[in-house]
Amino acid sequence: MSVLRLGLCVLGVYSMFLLWAVAQERLSVPFQHVDGESTHKFKSALFLGTCQSFLSSLSAIAYIVIRGKSGSSLSSLLGLDLASMTQTNISSNSKTNGSSGTKVNGHAHSSSTLSHTSSSTSKTLLLRYLQVSAFITLAAPFGFAALSYITYPTMVLGKSCKLVPVMLMNFVMYRRRFAPHKYIVVAMVTAGISVFMGFGNEKPSKASSNGDQGSYGQLIGVLYLVINLILDGAVNSTQDEVFVRYKVTGQQMMFWINLFCTMLSTALGTLPLPHIPVLHPSSGSQSEFANAIGFIRTHPSVIVPLVQFSLTGALGQLFIFETLQHFGSLTLVMITLTRKMFTMVLSVVVYDHKLTLGQWVGAGIVFGGISVEAWVKRKEVHAKRVLQEKEKAKIKSL
């Protein structure tokens, strides 16, 4: 069942985000003005993020309501009704201790105590969601700003090393360690994609120039990219921590994180904030959202790719959070990284691009890392099955 679930998650992530990438590429080129004479580019990355997070929260709540148990309260569906979970644990403990009353180990647990504990835990959980949303909202502008100083291949190369900050932030923030083979897989996947990108014959496109293309400008771009990667690592490690500490589903987390992201990005996009480098680049009397809406009115052809970008991103997140809940952030990052690799291979087949020998070596290293992870997973599943069979045999012998 776990193998089938993982396969469906991989298929969902690949299909949705391939369509998402098509829309993203379309949004990066100029759109025709209603006058039919001029073309302009859509530049509001914050507006794009808000549309996607809004639709993601809607798709998450729809999934939760459809798949939820009939008769469940709204707080239970949204993963905030922790009192019943506490009551279940206490009842289980009391039965274990041979008592069917309201005392556990000699201490009474009143309903008011349970309610207070549940309320406190729910607030802590919501603060965790808000923390992740803040990381996401802050990370995107730094990644976008980095492209003003470094080339796009450099950006992709840096993003392909995302596995490293995920493991680093898991250790720094939550002291979480991983099995030795995880480090081998991380090293192989990261090295393989780096080799694939580094040995390409295609010349890197020029970075968007703002008059500073020297070594100082590149240093600023690398700094922005490092900040973006650190925030991304904090996002993944905090999500892992939430799944470990709280019994929530991936879709519940998806709903709350995207809801808070929508609120935060809407505040940044609509409030009359002064010019803030990276975080709020718009200046003057108009907000960033006002500029974006004005662009849509004068360039209606942007609507279709904008909807496609937001909708496929929202549906893709359902598969992402399903993967995150059941397989962890490292598996998710490997899926997203290899999706980029498959996209490149598909491009080679469809558009007859030529790969260098170094790029084929890089692809081999990546798939070798994936094979190591699959081999170890298969051994773990086999060992669990053997253990279960032994336990069943012991029970029958009794």
Side-chain angles (χ1 to χ4, degrees), residues 8-10 24 27 33 46 52 79 94 97 99 115 144 175 177 194 208 222 247 265 273 296-297 329 345 373 389 397:
L8 290 175
C9 288
V10 172
Q24 185 185 42
L27 288 167
H33 193 276
L46 187 62
Q52 181 171 303
S94 65
N97 293 324
S99 171
S115 177
F144 186 75
R175 302 300 178 187
R177 297 182 182 275
S194 300
S208 300
V222 170
K247 292 187 179 298
S265 58
L273 299 175
I296 293 173
R297 288 175 178 172
S329 62
V345 173
E373 175 71 7
E389 291 295 330
S397 64

Side-chain angles (χ1 to χ4, degrees), residues 117-298:
T117 302
S118 174
S119 176
S120 176
T121 306
S122 297
K123 289 180 180 178
T124 304
L125 177 59
L126 288 176
L127 286 175
R128 285 291 192 190
Y129 288 145
L130 181 60
Q131 176 185 342
V132 174
S133 301
F135 287 150
I136 293 173
T137 305
L138 291 174
F142 279 100
F144 186 75
L147 289 175
S148 297
Y149 300 94
I150 58 177
T151 61
Y152 184 73
T154 305
M155 182 73 164
V156 174
L157 182 63
K159 289 293 236 179
S160 69
C161 301
K162 187 179 177 180
L163 287 165
V164 177
V166 167
M167 294 186 68
L168 177 64
M169 296 307 293
N170 262 293
F171 175 76
V172 171
M173 297 180 68
Y174 305 109
R175 302 300 178 187
R176 187 177 293 120
R177 297 182 182 275
F178 301 92
H181 81 276
K182 291 283 187 182
Y183 299 96
I184 297 175
V185 173
V186 165
M188 292 181 69
V189 171
T190 302
I193 294 181
S194 300
V195 170
F196 187 93
M197 299 297 298
F199 279 87
N201 282 331
E202 186 177 357
K203 295 181 179 180
S205 58
K206 293 182 179 180
S208 300
S209 177
N210 56 2
D212 194 357
Q213 291 298 320
S215 58
Y216 177 71
Q218 291 182 357
L219 181 62
I220 294 177
V222 170
L223 177 61
Y224 286 165
L225 180 57
V226 169
I227 294 173
N228 174 266
L229 289 173
I230 290 175
L231 290 171
D232 279 348
V235 167
N236 291 125
S237 57
T238 304
Q239 287 172 330
D240 280 345
E241 180 70 9
V242 170
F243 281 128
V244 170
R245 294 178 64 90
Y246 307 95
K247 292 187 179 298
V248 297
T249 66
Q251 288 71 33
Q252 289 168 343
M253 178 184 285
M254 175 181 169
F255 169 74
W256 285 109
I257 289 177
N258 281 285
L259 178 64
F260 285 135
C261 280
T262 303
M263 295 168 63
L264 291 173
S265 58
T266 299
L268 285 174
T270 57
L271 292 178
L273 299 175
H275 173 74
I276 304 174
V278 181
L279 297 179
H280 195 266
S282 297
S283 58
S285 58
Q286 276 196 321
S287 66
E288 186 169 347
F289 279 11
N291 290 331
I293 293 173
F295 184 94
I296 293 173
R297 288 175 178 172
T298 56

Side-chain angles (χ1 to χ4, degrees), residues 2-15:
S2 61
V3 176
L4 178 61
R5 186 192 297 272
L6 180 60
L8 290 175
C9 288
V10 172
L11 180 62
V13 170
Y14 281 11
S15 59

Side-chain angles (χ1 to χ4, degrees), residues 382-395:
H382 179 70
K384 287 181 180 179
R385 287 179 179 175
V386 171
L387 184 60
Q388 289 173 354
E389 291 295 330
K390 288 182 178 180
E391 290 177 351
K392 288 180 181 179
K394 287 182 180 180
I395 293 173

